[in-house]
Amino acid sequence: MFWNRAMETIRGDELADLQIKRLKWSLHQAGKTGLYQRRMKEAGVSPDDIKTLEDVERLPFTTKKDLQAGYPFGLFAVPLKEVVRIHTTSGTTGKPTVVGYTRQDLENWSELIARNMTMIGLGEDDIFQNAVNYGLFTGGLGFHYGAEKIGMTVIPSATGNTRRQIEMIEDFGVTAIHCTPSYALHLAEVAESMGKSLDTLKTGIFGAEPWSESMRGELERRLGLKAYDSYGLSEMYGPGVAFECPERDGLHIWHDSYLVEVIDPATGERLDPGERGELVITPLVKEAMPLIRYRTGDITRLMDEDGCACGRGQKIERITGRCDDMLVIRGINVFPSQIEHVLRSLPEVGDQFMVYIDRVKHLDEMTIEIEMSKVSFSGELQDLARIQKKISTELQNTLGLRTAVRLVEPASLPRFEGKARRVIDRRGNA
């Protein structure tokens, strides 16, 4: 088993000493870039001024816009000849974020993935199907190398060709799978249509998009596995920043490699454990692209520091959404994950839903198209009206907002092989 006991269970003064030592190294590394030379000067602070972890609040934030402005190699702290791999984000909102890796970065990254997988009991006896995009997306190669490090048999199936994916699970005796939760739901739907039970599956690793406890329960019921949440982002290597242990009550941050804070997204002020806000991460061991107080945009909270039954340290709550995913409807904050949680708890609801936001006569209106479950779809108007009213009531009770509900036939809405895109905001077109 691949278990770095010393680093996975480190805490207290020993952890603080390690973090401040690595933080100072990371600040000097970042200081090799033009961006941080300017930012540190503007903030009136130098790496030598940071003597305790509390001093981190004196440091400037880094945002995705900073990374995009440095395109392509402006944030690299090492010569390009030392960069052995490049990944990028999709760049759907502008220039993509370019992330470089030295050989040591790749070693660090694969170790973190190996820790995640070993923590939930995976090892050399497992057959692992990696059903996420390879290439520039970090999820594919990140999990691939971590799985190989612990000796798993790896099937780099990538995404698409869902029927073939199901055949591979069955023919190769796959025991563990990694994909987005929305694609896992699609796999379950297609497997059911094929009459396949996928009995060999025992473990599911799902990430890259927020998902609810209700969805966890549905995936476990329909795929017959135990589902674990994975968190990461390309700017921090990729997946491997935090992961659930068998307790599945929050995700363990690897504190030897990442210094984390939670801030008020509006003011930038640091919040106490238990308060929900935006996750800020400073990587402590990145060579090619060190970052300082990177604002992830992800919403979570630091959980109590009492530790976990597994022996590892402090955790974060599962990501509930993103600052830029939050919908403000008539002054009320709504996250798509809240909608999903309600819908997954109702037996009348099928596999998919879509959210549309419009501005009608200067007022925001939200309409949710919802597939009905096959067992509930009778076509009788009386039944449809009853179900529609039930869903509307449950949504209003949770969101504090009236929504229009439109029921559609089973399997009539789009399916997603990668990250789900369930929200279409049309207010800018009004």
Side-chain angles (χ1 to χ4, degrees), residues 77-108:
V78 299
L80 196 57
K81 65 182 180 181
E82 296 180 23
V83 174
V84 297
R85 190 192 300 171
I86 285 175
H87 284 282
T88 75
T89 61
S90 60
T92 54
T93 58
K95 282 286 188 182
T97 297
V98 177
V99 185
Y101 303 76
T102 64
R103 292 190 187 279
Q104 186 60 51
D105 285 332
L106 293 179
E107 178 60 28
N108 294 341

Side-chain angles (χ1 to χ4, degrees), residues 17-34:
D17 290 344
L18 177 67
Q19 286 182 323
I20 196 67
K21 177 183 176 181
R22 290 186 169 181
L23 175 62
K24 288 181 177 180
W25 172 87
S26 191
L27 292 176
H28 281 287
Q29 189 75 353
K32 298 175 183 178
T33 67

Side-chain angles (χ1 to χ4, degrees), residues 403-423:
T403 62
V405 170
R406 183 182 303 143
L407 301 178
V408 300
E409 295 182 12
S412 62
L413 293 180
R415 266 52 182 165
F416 304 97
E417 293 181 353
K419 294 183 181 182
R421 297 178 182 86
R422 293 195 176 97
V423 178

